[in-house]
Amino acid sequence: MSQSIENLINIMQKLRTPNTGCPWDLKQTYQSIVPHTIEEAYEVADAIEQGDMDELKKELGDLLFQVVFYAQLATEDKLFDFNDVVDAVCEKLTRRHPHVFGEEKFEDEHKIKQNWENEKAKERQIKAGEAISVLADIPKNLPALSQANKIQKRVAHIGFDWPEISGAWEKVKEEVIEVEEELELDSNSDKTAEEIGDLMFALVNVARHAKRDPEQLLRQANQKFTNRFMQVEYHLNNHKIKFEDATLAQMEQAWDQVKINEKKK
């Protein structure tokens, strides 16, 4: 039997009913469930990257439950309810897509994105009620790579950007030189750390110009390394070598063999 959103809302209400509800759910607050919301969002991303659609269906349900949970807390506080959440996003999407729901015409995707950013800027201005920085309201708890990407998109929208990816790449090479110079002076200094941070920020810019999400790219690189390292462990084990007893040369040889095997596939 198909379940509707009303069923989910009713389940949430029962979980939060004093005396008869779930003790864990009853003690939760907006702040306490934030870590769970973030975790659920990452689990959705992981299911997509793994290509596991059955798991994605489940994880999307878990993420939807987080929205319903916040709405229930707000309902209890007489602030808003789930229907208000739906109304707000419908209004926002309709307003931000005048080329779909109105008479506006945009000549290309760039103009569509430009309009989207303009609408978001207007929303920030209305919310602030006064002059406001283009970088205002970027969430502080975003993962650093995602935050850097969002900062760069904001300033690029008002023209503070390299016109081509080559400019962003030249900046990376410039930052590499500055890191090298600091490493030669003191690899553990605060200045070295600062330059490494600048290099990472510059790399995010290259990823953005390449129309790639830096957070996703690093997750994929993490997974790639993990897969290879596990194969290195397997390779050494097959040669009766305990990993803790292996020399760096043996590890590197196994690593190179794993890469060779990958190319054969």
Side-chain angles (χ1 to χ4, degrees):
M1 179 179 174
S2 178
Q3 302 292 307
S4 67
I5 190 65
E6 286 78 12
N7 294 127
L8 181 57
I9 292 172
N10 288 335
I11 290 171
M12 183 72 257
Q13 290 172 345
K14 288 182 179 180
L15 290 172
R16 289 280 299 181
T17 300
N19 300 322
T20 61
C22 171
W24 185 89
D25 291 281
L26 282 166
K27 71 178 184 180
Q28 299 312 308
T29 65
Y30 300 102
Q31 292 77 16
S32 70
I33 61 176
V34 166
H36 301 285
T37 307
I38 294 171
E39 181 180 339
E40 295 300 351
Y42 276 110
E43 288 179 356
V44 166
D46 186 63
I48 292 171
E49 289 172 4
Q50 298 300 322
D52 191 337
M53 293 300 106
D54 285 338
E55 191 64 21
L56 176 60
K57 175 179 64 178
K58 298 173 186 175
E59 298 301 344
L60 286 172
D62 291 342
L63 187 57
L64 175 59
F65 180 70
Q66 297 296 304
V67 178
V68 171
F69 207 141
Y70 288 114
Q72 176 61 29
L73 294 177
T75 299
E76 294 169 11
D77 291 340
K78 295 181 171 52
L79 299 173
F80 57 82
D81 61 18
F82 183 81
N83 287 332
D84 294 323
V85 174
V86 174
D87 288 344
V89 72
C90 287
E91 186 280 327
K92 180 188 294 184
L93 289 172
T94 302
R95 175 168 40 78
R96 289 185 180 179
H97 293 83
H99 54 295
V100 176
F101 302 102
E103 302 301 321
E104 193 74 50
K105 301 295 181 184
F106 298 119
E107 47 193 73
D108 53 34
E109 187 177 347
H110 173 73
K111 292 294 184 183
I112 292 174
K113 289 182 178 179
Q114 191 174 50
N115 175 75
W116 178 273
E117 291 299 331
N118 288 339
E119 286 296 325
K120 289 171 67 176
K122 290 178 185 176
E123 291 168 12
R124 291 194 295 272
Q125 191 68 55
I126 292 171
K127 182 179 178 181
E130 56 187 21
I132 185 172
S133 169
V134 70
L135 297 180
D137 80 356
I138 292 178
K140 297 293 188 296
N141 58 353
L142 272 177
L145 288 176
S146 295
Q147 188 181 63
N149 195 41
K150 200 169 187 68
I151 289 170
Q152 292 169 8
K153 283 182 177 179
R154 287 274 184 93
V155 299
H157 179 63
I158 59 171
F160 193 72
D161 194 14
W162 284 279
E164 303 292 340
I165 193 173
S166 57
W169 182 241
E170 287 301 318
K171 183 61 176 175
V172 168
K173 291 190 283 187
E174 176 187 319
E175 295 295 349
V176 167
I177 292 172
E178 292 179 4
V179 169
E180 289 177 340
E181 291 174 348
E182 293 303 324
L183 286 173
E184 289 176 1
L185 294 174
D186 184 354
S187 63
N188 296 318
S189 71
D190 289 343
K191 183 60 176 175
T192 299
E194 179 184 339
E195 293 299 344
I196 292 172
D198 290 345
L199 174 58
M200 295 171 71
F201 190 85
L203 278 170
V204 170
N205 233 342
V206 173
R208 180 178 61 83
H209 274 271
K211 303 188 186 308
R212 298 287 182 172
D213 177 71
E215 192 76 30
Q216 184 177 41
L217 292 180
L218 186 55
R219 284 201 305 272
Q220 291 170 345
N222 290 344
Q223 188 61 54
K224 181 180 179 180
F225 179 88
T226 299
N227 292 341
R228 282 181 175 175
F229 191 81
M230 292 173 69
Q231 287 300 310
V232 167
E233 292 174 313
Y234 181 77
H235 178 89
L236 292 173
N237 184 59
N238 275 354
H239 287 77
K240 311 300 182 184
I241 302 173
K242 292 184 178 180
F243 199 89
E244 57 269 24
D245 297 331
T247 65
L248 179 58
Q250 288 173 317
M251 294 181 198
E252 289 180 339
Q253 183 181 23
W255 181 271
D256 291 338
Q257 186 59 53
V258 168
K259 291 175 67 177
I260 291 171
N261 292 342
E262 286 178 356
K263 292 178 180 179
K264 291 180 180 178
K265 293 180 181 179

